[in-house]
Amino acid sequence: MRHHTNSVVVLGFLAVLVPMSGKAADLTIDRATTYQTIEGLGFFGAADVWWSSPSAVLDQAWTDKVIDDLGISMWRNEYVSEATVQDAKWDTMRPVVQAMVDTAKKRGVKLRIILTVWSPPAAMKCLSDDKLTCNSNPPTRPKDTKGGNILDPAMRADLATWLIAGLQMYQDIGADVYALSFQNEPYFTETYNACVYAQDAYSATLAAVGPNIKAAFPNVKLFGAENMLGIECGKSPGTAFDSWFYTGNILNVAAALSSIDAFAVHGYVDGVSATATSNLASMWTSLLTATAKTGKALWMTETSGYFHTWPGTKDNPGPLDLGQAIYAALVYGNVSAWTYWQGSNKAGYDEYSLMAGADKPGKNYYVSKQFFRFVRPGAQRVDVKSSDPEVMAAAFSHPTMNAFTVVAINTGSASKALTFAGTGLPSDYQVFRTSANEDAAALGTMAADSITLPASSITTLVNGSYRESDSIGDGGMGGTGGATGGGGTTGTGRADAGIGPDASVGGRTGSGGSTGTAGGTTTGGRASTGGATATGGAASGGGAGTTATGGRTVTGGATGGTMAGASGTAGTTGRGGNGGSVSSSNGGKLPDAGLATGGTTAVTTGAGGSGGALPDAAASPTGGQPGVIPDAGLAPAKAASSGCGCKLGGPEQTTSTVWTIALAGIALLVSRAGRKRALRRRHTDS
C-alpha cells in the first residue's frame, strides 16, 4: 500500500479523500480552444441479439426509441460470409438496416453505419494460426468461419473484392456505409467468428485491400485494428503505448498508414473485462500521443462489462464508471466516435447490453443518453478545466445546430454547486440528469449560476438545439392557427419530456395565424430563448411579422416556422410540457477511479508495478518485446493544466520479470475462462 496526501490506494482502488463541504466546482471554459469533432456515438446490433428470431430483431418501437430518445448517431454491425452457418444472414439483417436508416432520415439524423468483419469467408482462410500452413498445396481450409485460423495471404485481393461487395450490398438499399474494419479483435482465437492476424500480417492486409476499397468507395473510411486498449497501451508501468502491437505496426508501414482513416480500439483488457477506470486517462493519453502526428482520428468501437447497479463497485463497475469511461475517451483520447457493444438483448439487459427492448432500458442506457442524445455529430469539444478533482466536465460547441453542451460528472459523496468562467457562455441551460434515482430526468431551464450537481450523478446542460428535425414534435408540431386564434395556453410536451427542448413546444392546441405553423426545421429550441428568432417560429402563427406561438419562450425552433399568418393576432405564450421535479438525491460511492479532470495535455504515470507480459497469441515476426497487462492499481498522475488533485498509486514493482510474465499469463487465462468471452459474443456453434 502506498500513501499520498489526501489519497490512499487499496488494491487498485483510488479513493480521493476530500472534505465533504459541498464547495463549488469552478469550470473554466475556453470556447476558442477546440479539439476533435464528433462523428458519432452509438452501439452494435438490433432490437435483440442476432441469433434470435427475425421477428425479435426487427422492432419499430425499439428503432424509434434508440433514434428519438437515446439519440444514437452511429450504428455498428457485422458483415458476415453467408457461405457457412451464421447468426443472421442478410435476409434477416436487411429489414433492420432499412428501418434504422429510414427512421433516422425521417428525424433528420445522418446515421453513420460502421461495419466490422469477424471473419473472412472460410474459403479464404488457412486452417491453423501458423501462416506456414498456407504454403501447402493446396492449403487446408477450415470448414467454417469460427475458431480463429488465419487469412491466406494469397487471398488478399479476393478479400478486397468480398469487402467491396458488402459495401455495395448496403448501398443498394440506400444505406451508405460510413466506415469499415476488415477484422475484429485480431489478437484472439475464438469459438465464434474470428480470424487471427499477426501484427505484420494485419498491416500487410490493410495495405493490400485499402487502395481497392478506396477506389470503389472513396468516401468509406477504414478503421482498425480493434485490438484492446488495455493491450495497445499496457506496456510497463502499465499504461504506456506498446509499439509492438497493431497500432505501432501500422505506424511503421507507410502503405498501411496511408490506408487507415481512424485508429480504433476496444475498451477491454482481455476482451471481456472493462479497462479499469483508474487507468483510462493515462491509457488514452498514451494512445493519443503515439498517433497524434498522423492526424488520424481515434475511435472506441466496443466496450462492455458495466453492470446496471448504481454506481458500481471495484469488482463490478457500474453506470457511473461507464460515464467516466465515455468522458475519459472523449477528453483524454480526443475520441470522435464511441460505440458500446450490444444495444439490446430482449432476454434481459446485463453488463453487455444497454436495454432489453424498447420498454426496458437499463441504467447504462440513461448514462449513455446523457452523451448520445445531446452531443451530436458535428459538435466540437472545447477546453474545460475543473477546480474540483471529483467533478469531471466535457463541453461541446455545435456551430450548425447553434448549441452549447456541457456534461458534468460528480463522482464525490457531496453535492457541488457549479460556477462558470469564460467568454461567450450561456446564461442558462436545459438540464438533464441521471443518478441513483433519476433516469436522464428533464429538469427544465436553470440559470447558469443556480446549477448544483448532486453526489454521484451525471448532468447534461444544453443551450440550443439537440435534435436535427422537428418530426417527432419539438418546436410546436401541430400549432396551426385559425383566423384569429391565440397561441395555445396549455401546449403539452412529449410523454417522456420535460420543459424545453424535449417538449412538444408551440402547443399542440396552440394557434395563431390563418395558415402559420409553429416550429420550423430545427428542434429542441434554443434553451431559455426560444431560438435565435423567437419561440415556435419567428413568423409562424399570429399574423405577418408577429412572433406568437403556443409554447413558452424557452423552446421553439431555432430558425422559426414557415409562412406568416395572413391576419391572425398574436397568441399568448403557452407553456410546454411539464418537466420532472428537481431532485437532489445523493447516493453512490466514490468511483473506481482517479480520473484527472479537465486536462488535455499528457498524463504521466510513475513506477507502479506491471502485471507481466501478455501471452504470445500471434507471435510477431518482428521479435519485439511483448507488452504487459495494465496494472489496475495505477491512477493517473496530475495532468498539466488540468486542475486535477489525483495522485499516482499502485503497488511497488518488486516482482521479477520471469514471475511477472508467468503470473500475467495465468491471470489472463483465468480471466478469459472465468468470464467467458462467449457471454459477450455468443455465436452458433456449427
Side-chain angles (χ1 to χ4, degrees):
M1 182 184 302
R2 178 179 296 175
H3 296 272
H4 298 279
T5 304
N6 292 333
S7 67
V8 57
V9 179
V10 181
L11 297 177
F13 174 75
L14 181 67
V16 183
L17 305 181
V18 297
M20 298 182 184
S21 62
K23 182 180 178 182
D26 304 321
L27 300 185
T28 302
I29 301 175
D30 180 5
R31 296 186 67 168
T33 301
T34 60
Y35 300 96
Q36 77 273 27
T37 298
I38 299 301
E39 296 177 78
L41 308 172
F43 58 67
F44 172 95
D48 201 1
V49 291
W50 281 123
W51 53 86
S52 63
S53 66
S55 61
V57 298
L58 181 62
D59 184 334
Q60 187 59 48
W62 175 86
T63 304
D64 292 339
K65 180 82 169 178
V66 299
I67 298 294
D68 295 344
D69 184 66
L70 180 58
I72 67 167
S73 52
M74 182 170 280
W75 183 61
R76 181 172 177 245
N77 198 23
E78 181 181 5
Y79 175 42
V80 301
S81 167
E82 301 206 5
T84 55
V85 174
Q86 297 292 342
D87 290 339
K89 295 192 175 184
W90 184 235
D91 284 347
T92 299
M93 290 185 175
R94 181 174 56 242
V96 176
V97 175
Q98 288 176 318
M100 294 290 283
V101 171
D102 291 346
T103 302
K105 285 181 178 178
K106 290 177 182 177
R107 307 304 192 262
V109 176
K110 293 181 179 178
L111 183 66
R112 287 171 166 167
I113 298 172
I114 63 174
L115 297 182
T116 294
V117 172
W118 265 252
S119 173
M124 298 181 189
K125 299 170 71 174
C126 299
L127 187 64
S128 170
D129 291 348
D130 184 355
K131 66 181 180 181
L132 295 178
T133 62
C134 294
N135 294 333
S136 60
N137 191 16
T140 303
R141 307 295 186 193
K143 66 182 179 66
D144 57 32
T145 53
K146 299 173 176 60
N149 304 304
I150 65 172
L151 176 74
D152 185 345
M155 303 295 287
R156 286 170 180 158
D158 298 86
L159 175 64
T161 300
W162 178 71
L163 294 170
I164 291 169
L167 298 174
Q168 187 63 54
M169 186 169 66
Y170 273 73
Q171 188 180 75
D172 287 345
I173 64 167
D176 292 328
V177 174
Y178 184 71
L180 171 70
S181 166
F182 70 84
Q183 184 55 51
N184 178 71
E185 299 178 1
Y187 198 58
F188 292 111
T189 295
E190 302 297 351
T191 58
Y192 47 78
N193 285 349
C195 186
V196 175
Y197 288 79
Q199 291 89 318
D200 67 330
Y202 183 92
S203 294
T205 304
L206 175 60
V209 304
N212 291 347
I213 294 172
K214 295 288 188 181
F217 287 89
N219 294 326
V220 171
K221 298 177 182 291
L222 297 180
F223 67 99
E226 296 197 279
N227 191 26
M228 314 305 170
L229 175 63
I231 293 176
E232 295 285 325
C233 295
K235 189 176 180 179
S236 180
T239 59
F241 177 72
D242 195 335
S243 61
W244 188 75
F245 285 101
Y246 296 93
T247 303
N249 204 281
I250 294 170
L251 290 171
N252 291 324
V253 178
L257 184 60
S258 65
S259 291
I260 202 162
D261 296 290
F263 291 104
V265 294
H266 289 178
Y268 303 113
V269 176
D270 60 353
V272 173
S273 303
T275 305
T277 311
S278 56
N279 285 337
L280 286 170
S282 4
M283 284 185 174
W284 279 117
T285 299
S286 295
L287 187 61
L288 177 61
T289 301
T291 59
K293 63 182 179 181
T294 69
K296 310 282 186 178
L298 283 186
W299 291 3
M300 200 300 299
T301 50
E302 184 182 317
T303 193
S304 61
Y306 296 93
F307 293 79
H308 291 261
T309 301
W310 191 276
T313 66
K314 184 180 83 69
D315 294 328
N316 295 318
L320 193 63
D321 298 289
L322 173 59
Q324 293 174 80
I326 301 174
Y327 162 85
L330 292 170
V331 172
Y332 291 100
N334 282 359
V335 162
S336 58
W338 196 99
T339 56
Y340 199 75
W341 170 224
Q342 192 74 43
S344 181
N345 183 346
K346 289 185 175 178
Y349 56 75
D350 54 20
E351 67 268 37
Y352 307 113
S353 57
L354 298 178
M355 58 198 303
D359 58 344
K360 294 181 181 178
K363 205 68 174 181
N364 289 338
Y365 172 99
Y366 293 109
V367 166
S368 300
K369 180 180 175 179
Q370 297 284 152
F371 293 89
F372 292 7
R373 175 68 271 166
F374 308 107
V375 182
R376 307 306 296 165
Q380 284 187 308
R381 188 172 69 84
V382 302
D383 191 59
V384 182
K385 293 179 176 61
S386 172
S387 66
D388 189 328
E390 291 185 328
V391 174
M392 306 169 187
F396 304 86
S397 181
H398 201 299
T400 58
M401 294 182 72
N402 201 20
F404 186 73
T405 303
V406 178
V407 183
I409 305 173
N410 181 4
T411 66
S413 58
S415 62
K416 314 274 186 178
L418 278 186
T419 65
F420 297 89
T423 59
L425 301 181
S427 60
D428 48 33
Y429 297 89
Q430 291 291 308
V431 181
F432 304 86
R433 189 166 65 221
T434 296
S435 62
N437 56 6
E438 295 168 300
D439 296 328
L443 305 178
T445 301
M446 296 185 185
D449 60 1
S450 65
I451 296 171
T452 297
L453 307 179
S456 186
S457 65
I458 302 178
T459 303
T460 302
L461 314 174
V462 186
N463 182 281
S465 302
Y466 59 86
R467 295 186 186 275
E468 289 82 356
S469 169
D470 65 353
S471 58
I472 58 171
D474 293 309
M477 183 174 181
T480 60
T484 58
T489 59
T490 58
T492 58
R494 289 173 45 215
D496 65 339
I499 299 170
D502 247 346
S504 291
V505 302
R508 291 183 181 275
T509 60
S511 59
S514 61
T515 58
T517 60
T521 58
T522 63
T523 60
R526 185 169 181 78
S528 83
T529 64
T533 56
T535 70
S540 53
T546 69
T547 57
T549 61
R552 59 179 292 188
T553 57
V554 297
T555 53
T559 59
T562 60
M563 300 176 62
S567 61
T569 60
T572 59
T573 56
R575 181 178 179 84
N578 292 326
S581 60
V582 178
S583 171
S584 58
S585 62
N586 296 323
K589 61 172 185 64
L590 290 171
D592 181 12
L595 281 178
T597 62
T600 55
T601 55
V603 177
T604 59
T605 59
S610 70
L614 287 164
D616 188 3
S620 169
T622 64
Q625 179 66 28
V628 296
I629 294 177
D631 187 329
L634 284 174
K638 182 175 181 180
S641 305
S642 71
C644 175
C646 306
K647 301 291 185 179
L648 177 67
E652 298 288 349
Q653 187 172 1
T654 57
T655 310
S656 70
T657 301
V658 172
W659 279 107
T660 298
I661 294 172
L663 291 171
I666 293 171
L668 181 58
L669 290 173
V670 170
S671 174
R672 295 183 68 205
R675 295 297 297 276
K676 296 182 181 178
R677 286 163 56 82
L679 288 175
R680 176 174 64 86
R681 177 69 185 182
R682 197 205 91 179
H683 280 249
T684 305
D685 292 323
S686 58

